[in-house]
Amino acid sequence: MTSQPLRRDPEGPDGTSLGPEALARAEALVAVFRERYPELAAKSLAQLNACWGAFLAEGENLARSARREELYRLAHDYKGIGGSYGYPMVSAIGEALCRLLRPEATLDAAGAGEIGRLISALNLIISERLSGDGGERGRLLMAGL
Amino acid sequence: MLGAVKSGESYSALRVLVVEDNENMSRLLREVLRALGVGEVYSAASGPEALRVLSRVVPDVLLTDLALGKMSGIELTRRIRRGEDSINPYVPIIMVTGHADQRRIAEARDAGIHEFVAKPVSPVSLARYLSEVVERPRPFVSMSSYFGPDRRRRVVNRRSSDRRERSGKIISPDEIAAYVERLREKIAEGPVERAKVPPGSEAIAFRAKAKEGTA
């Protein structure tokens, strides 16, 4: 049935039967990825900033703008990926952006202003490498949003 | 392979296909799977690409994002489970997504996924769901309204009044493992595509019977 013999590992924690060594290896890897996240996120952050900048320059109504879909897609990526890379604040901001940008949401000038503040906060979190809860700086930032 | 991994064994012989359109997320998933000990990790960036990969690789598990562009993870699942061109309708599918609302979860389950994992993903959550599908393979249910893993997780004594028994077919993990093994042998000879599979071949015949509930 299998081409290779299967090695037996001890029972692992939290309902998985993989050994603690395998899980520790994976957790260590995520820590490495956490360090690299700001560099890895640079491309999509530039796309988000460019899309938002173009919208502001055009002075369009965001509710009807074709850029809304693109902004939503990028925000959704942040929502899913940030936390997976150890940046839960990025996920929280991505989720808030998705709520504002979802197709059925009514989007007015106040909402557009909120989107701008959230995007600025996202830039700050990534440029200052505020992983986890971001410490005191992160807590203050999130409290202010 | 599937069905051969017992609780407590490592995953060095396991093959996993990751379908994710975001390169950063794809890379993270692939690397975490390798760190967990998965022997072979394949990737595709879209539904159509995943279907092409499935013509030359028989993964033990398919891990897919829900939002994948034109062909969503749910549509991909439907194509794999019920598509006329699907060659491996039994591959366990774990859906990874940020859209973890009840409507989408229900839609994904009806399409025939095994597990639904909400992002953010951690090594522990990934390992837990991987263990679930690999170490506790579920039978498949083939009915006119549903084709996919049995959604009952508990082992129950089936009575003759069981709706599945009456209106469909239960395909056991052993039968699925035998089918997958035959498919692997066939694919070892070259990519299997619908047009290249001789009509009436064992794989297609089995697949058709499974769909009709007569296998």
Side-chain angles (χ1 to χ4, degrees):
Chain A
M1 185 76 76
T2 59
S3 54
Q4 315 171 39
L6 293 165
R7 184 170 56 85
R8 190 164 286 278
D9 281 339
E11 186 78 10
D14 296 311
T16 81
S17 63
L18 281 168
E21 286 171 14
L23 285 168
R25 228 174 16 243
E27 295 287 1
L29 184 87
V30 170
V32 171
F33 271 107
R34 185 178 303 137
E35 287 300 309
R36 292 171 54 198
Y37 179 68
E39 286 73 48
L40 295 171
K43 188 176 162 191
S44 65
L45 191 60
Q47 285 175 335
L48 182 71
N49 289 333
C51 191
W52 181 242
F55 159 70
L56 291 176
E58 289 161 5
E60 283 185 79
N61 181 337
L62 187 56
R64 292 194 297 271
S65 171
R67 300 193 187 280
R68 181 174 178 160
E69 194 180 326
E70 174 70 358
L71 287 167
Y72 180 87
R73 188 186 64 76
L74 290 163
H76 183 261
D77 278 352
Y78 280 110
K79 177 186 166 190
I81 297 167
S84 302
Y85 272 84
Y87 280 73
M89 290 192 297
V90 168
S91 281
I93 288 176
E95 188 173 0
L97 283 169
C98 283
R99 236 183 351 258
L100 289 163
L101 290 161
R102 68 187 195 277
E104 61 273 23
T106 307
L107 199 50
D108 55 15
E114 198 176 337
I115 290 171
R117 282 192 294 280
L118 289 166
I119 291 176
S120 296
L122 199 58
N123 276 276
L124 195 73
I125 290 165
I126 292 172
S127 66
E128 296 196 9
R129 298 174 171 270
L130 299 178
S131 61
D133 68 1
E136 187 60 20
R137 180 130 175 77
R139 282 190 289 277
L140 284 172
L141 178 70
M142 295 307 278
L145 289 175
Chain B
M1 173 70 202
L2 198 64
V5 176
K6 300 287 184 277
S7 180
E9 291 173 337
S10 85
Y11 291 167
S12 59
L14 206 63
R15 286 163 251 209
V16 178
L17 170 59
V18 175
V19 190
E20 169 63 71
D21 60 348
N22 183 286
E23 175 50 30
N24 287 338
M25 193 67 204
S26 176
R27 187 182 308 167
L28 182 71
L29 289 171
R30 284 181 278 134
E31 292 299 324
V32 167
L33 287 168
R34 288 194 185 101
L36 289 172
V38 172
E40 293 178 41
V41 182
Y42 301 88
S43 68
S46 68
E49 189 184 347
L51 293 172
R52 284 195 293 276
V53 172
L54 288 171
S55 73
R56 55 186 169 80
V57 172
V58 185
D60 297 293
V61 180
L62 187 148
L63 208 65
T64 182
D65 189 18
L66 191 154
L68 274 178
K70 284 182 181 171
M71 185 191 290
S72 71
I74 290 176
E75 186 53 33
L76 173 63
T77 302
R78 289 194 188 112
R79 287 282 298 273
I80 290 170
R81 295 287 183 248
R82 288 178 169 270
E84 289 301 316
D85 51 354
S86 176
I87 59 165
N88 184 8
Y90 304 110
V91 61
I93 298 175
I94 298 175
M95 189 160 283
V96 183
T97 181
H99 293 289
D101 58 82
Q102 283 304 315
R103 184 180 64 81
R104 285 208 170 80
I105 291 172
E107 203 181 350
R109 292 217 185 283
D110 288 346
I113 66 155
H114 279 65
E115 302 290 342
F116 200 92
V117 186
K119 289 178 184 173
V121 175
S122 69
V124 167
S125 68
L126 205 53
R128 183 183 301 141
Y129 287 109
L130 208 55
S131 296
E132 185 62 36
V133 299
V134 170
E135 296 173 24
R136 285 172 284 283
R138 280 188 265 164
F140 263 57
V141 174
S142 179
M143 299 169 73
S144 58
S145 59
Y146 176 73
F147 180 81
D150 192 338
R151 289 179 277 201
R152 296 171 305 190
R153 290 172 190 270
R154 284 183 305 114
V155 176
V156 293
N157 289 324
R158 294 200 182 89
R159 293 170 299 180
S160 57
S161 60
D162 189 317
R163 190 165 56 90
R164 291 171 175 82
E165 293 285 351
R166 280 186 280 116
S167 58
K169 163 81 178 170
I170 305 285
I171 303 154
S172 73
D174 285 345
E175 286 175 290
I176 293 170
Y179 172 82
V180 168
E181 201 59 30
R182 288 201 298 275
L183 186 59
R184 287 222 165 99
E185 286 165 11
K186 196 169 283 295
I187 276 186
E189 296 164 10
V192 176
E193 291 170 21
R194 187 184 174 206
K196 291 182 182 173
V197 177
S201 76
E202 192 181 20
I204 294 299
F206 186 88
R207 161 105 180 86
K209 285 179 183 173
K211 277 183 74 176
E212 292 163 12
T214 57

